[in-house]
Amino acid sequence: MTGPDVVTLGETMVSLRTGSPLRLGGALQMTVAGAESNVAIGLARLGHTVRWGGRVGDDEVGAFLLRTLRAESVLVDTVAIDADRATGLMLAERRINDLSRVTYYRSDSAGSALSAADAAACLTAPPRLLHVTGITPALSSSAAEAVTEAVRLARAAGALVSVDVNYRAKLWSTTAARTTLSALARSADIVIASDDELGLIVAGAGTPEAEERAAAELSACGVRALVIKRGALGASVYTDGEVVHASAIPVTVLDTIGAGDAFTAGYLSGMLDGFTPGEALHRGTVTGAFAVAAIGDWEGAPNRAELTLLAAPAGTTLR
């Protein structure tokens, strides 16, 4: 049985967003949010076949979530409907364009009940690549087991494994996260981390020299590429003993939530297309720029035909 290009596994929540302080009330926009599904949508828009594996509640917002992912051509055929737990909730308030606050209501949610069986269900047909994040192991012990099993199954099937560290301080402490994330990173072929997350997976990160040591240490464990997200400063990839840097593409920033996931989708897309590390990194900066230039976790993600739009002169109108 032929699998999709990519499988992602994690929790997706219903997201209520506002551009003003929550305490003042007002209108909220309902959408969906989740690092793994953000990446899934970004990859699907770029023409890749993607399955999202997870759990949602047997509720209206769970149905909305699945409907949205189907509309974005993401496969949700293995998703479990949990009759005992509700779909998780995220509240996001954008205080200024490049600063937002997020509150989670995901304790004992359907997504937190992810298990090894859910991992097996979405990996029955092996993909080319499995993408997971460090968010899921923070949700519960069973969710952590789901990620471990997914990685084991993907490796056994010969698939590549991508891990985005994606540390969430509201879910667990650095002390609790360090052991789990360090081990998870060492099980991957591709490790993606922001520059301030690198210290969670290797000791002594924080300088260019320390980054080089980190890349060498992870390479010795079998990691083929260490990708470092630097926000407005761009991104770097360490692979085969070399480092390549790509600058961020300047755009007017409207919202930074989801930018890292958009970058990840672009980088992984380039890798799946057989690009060099530098070319894949550039695609990541393009998709990241689209993300911050639009409001929403994934709504601004480009399709393949739009990837060249940012090269047009400012103020261009296509007629």
Side-chain angles (χ1 to χ4, degrees):
M1 183 184 301
T2 302
D5 291 331
V6 180
V7 165
T8 68
L9 174 73
E11 179 175 31
T12 298
M13 301 159 287
V14 63
S15 172
L16 301 179
R17 299 175 60 104
T18 177
S20 60
L22 283 166
R23 67 180 62 192
L24 300 181
L28 293 165
Q29 181 182 9
M30 187 169 81
T31 182
V32 301
E36 299 83 5
S37 55
N38 291 345
V39 172
I41 291 172
L43 283 164
R45 286 194 177 180
L46 291 172
H48 303 282
T49 54
V50 191
R51 172 175 288 118
W52 173 73
R55 302 180 71 86
V56 300
D58 188 11
D59 46 37
E60 289 302 298
V61 291
F64 165 73
L65 186 157
L66 294 178
R67 180 177 183 271
T68 301
L69 291 175
R70 288 191 190 102
E72 291 294 330
S73 300
V74 175
L75 300 170
V76 292
D77 50 323
T78 66
V79 172
I81 309 298
D82 193 323
D84 300 317
R85 299 173 182 84
T87 302
L89 169 66
M90 184 182 99
L91 298 179
E93 52 179 339
R94 197 176 73 258
R95 297 298 288 117
I96 55 177
N97 286 351
D98 58 355
L99 190 152
S100 297
R101 293 190 296 213
V102 170
T103 304
Y104 299 119
Y105 297 86
R106 61 203 304 181
S107 177
D108 199 35
S109 65
S112 72
L114 273 169
S115 68
D118 297 312
C122 66
L123 286 162
T124 301
R128 294 174 60 192
L129 180 142
L130 168 72
H131 178 71
V132 294
T133 79
I135 299 172
T136 309
L139 301 178
S140 67
S141 58
S142 71
E145 291 169 2
V147 172
T148 300
E149 179 66 0
V151 171
R152 186 189 71 79
L153 291 171
R155 283 210 164 278
L160 294 173
V161 174
S162 165
V163 170
D164 191 336
V165 174
N166 257 346
Y167 173 67
R168 295 291 185 267
K170 290 188 176 182
L171 296 179
W172 54 355
S173 69
T174 55
T175 301
R178 185 169 282 111
T179 299
T180 298
L181 295 180
S182 177
L184 181 60
R186 284 160 176 74
S187 71
D189 298 286
I190 303 161
V191 173
I192 303 169
S194 60
D195 46 9
D196 60 347
E197 291 171 333
L198 199 55
L200 289 170
I201 56 175
V202 290
T207 66
E209 294 77 12
E211 285 185 2
E212 292 176 6
R213 291 196 299 272
E217 181 179 332
L218 291 173
S219 177
C221 297
V223 174
R224 303 184 189 185
L226 170 62
V227 183
I228 302 177
K229 298 178 287 188
R230 306 186 190 278
L233 298 179
S236 305
V237 57
Y238 289 84
T239 182
D240 296 327
E242 298 182 352
V243 60
V244 179
H245 180 74
S247 298
I249 297 173
V251 293
T252 300
V253 176
L254 295 183
D255 187 4
T256 57
I257 295 180
D261 300 327
F263 167 85
T264 294
Y267 176 82
L268 294 178
S269 170
M271 190 212 67
L272 290 167
D273 283 351
F275 284 8
T276 66
E279 291 168 339
L281 203 65
H282 175 70
R283 179 172 286 184
T285 63
V286 170
T287 51
F290 269 96
V292 299
I295 294 174
D297 285 52
W298 50 267
E299 285 83 348
N303 61 42
R304 190 171 287 259
E306 293 173 323
L307 288 173
T308 59
L309 289 181
L310 296 182
T316 298
T317 300
L318 302 178
R319 303 183 187 277

